[in-house]
Amino acid sequence: KYYQSIGGKYFPWIKHEAEKSQNPEIEFILAQCYDEAIGVDRDEDKAEEWFTTAANRGCVRARNCLGVF
């Protein structure tokens, strides 16, 4: 996946941008990092939190992922 190729190296930037930008696509990418342990230890709670945040801002992919939790 695309996220696996960028996640480890760019995780700190992704996290920073997700926390400040309110951009649902970046929030979705951060959720994917937590869900798939890309650049960070796997954390289902944080993944669900970020999927929910992104979904609430209109990210359809995040809504689809929430169906798994």
Side-chain angles (χ1 to χ4, degrees), residues 5-29:
S5 67
I6 65 163
K9 184 175 182 179
Y10 295 105
F11 177 80
W13 179 85
I14 293 167
K15 184 174 185 288
H16 174 76
E17 287 301 308
E19 290 172 343
K20 77 170 192 155
S21 73
Q22 298 184 354
N23 180 320
E25 293 302 317
I26 301 237
E27 294 165 345
F28 173 78
I29 292 170

Side-chain angles (χ1 to χ4, degrees), residues 1 11 28-38 40-48 50-51 65 68-69:
K1 283 187 173 182
F11 177 80
F28 173 78
I29 292 170
L30 181 60
Q32 287 285 94
C33 289
Y34 280 118
D35 190 41
E36 298 181 18
I38 302 169
V40 66
D41 290 337
R42 186 162 196 245
D43 188 328
E44 289 182 5
D45 292 333
K46 286 187 180 180
E48 185 176 4
W50 283 105
F51 281 133
C65 289
V68 176
F69 286 95

Side-chain angles (χ1 to χ4, degrees), residues 43-67:
D43 188 328
E44 289 182 5
D45 292 333
K46 286 187 180 180
E48 185 176 4
E49 174 186 332
W50 283 105
F51 281 133
T52 300
T53 299
N56 288 340
R57 294 190 203 283
C59 181
V60 174
R61 293 183 298 165
R63 287 185 195 143
N64 291 337
C65 289
L66 284 172

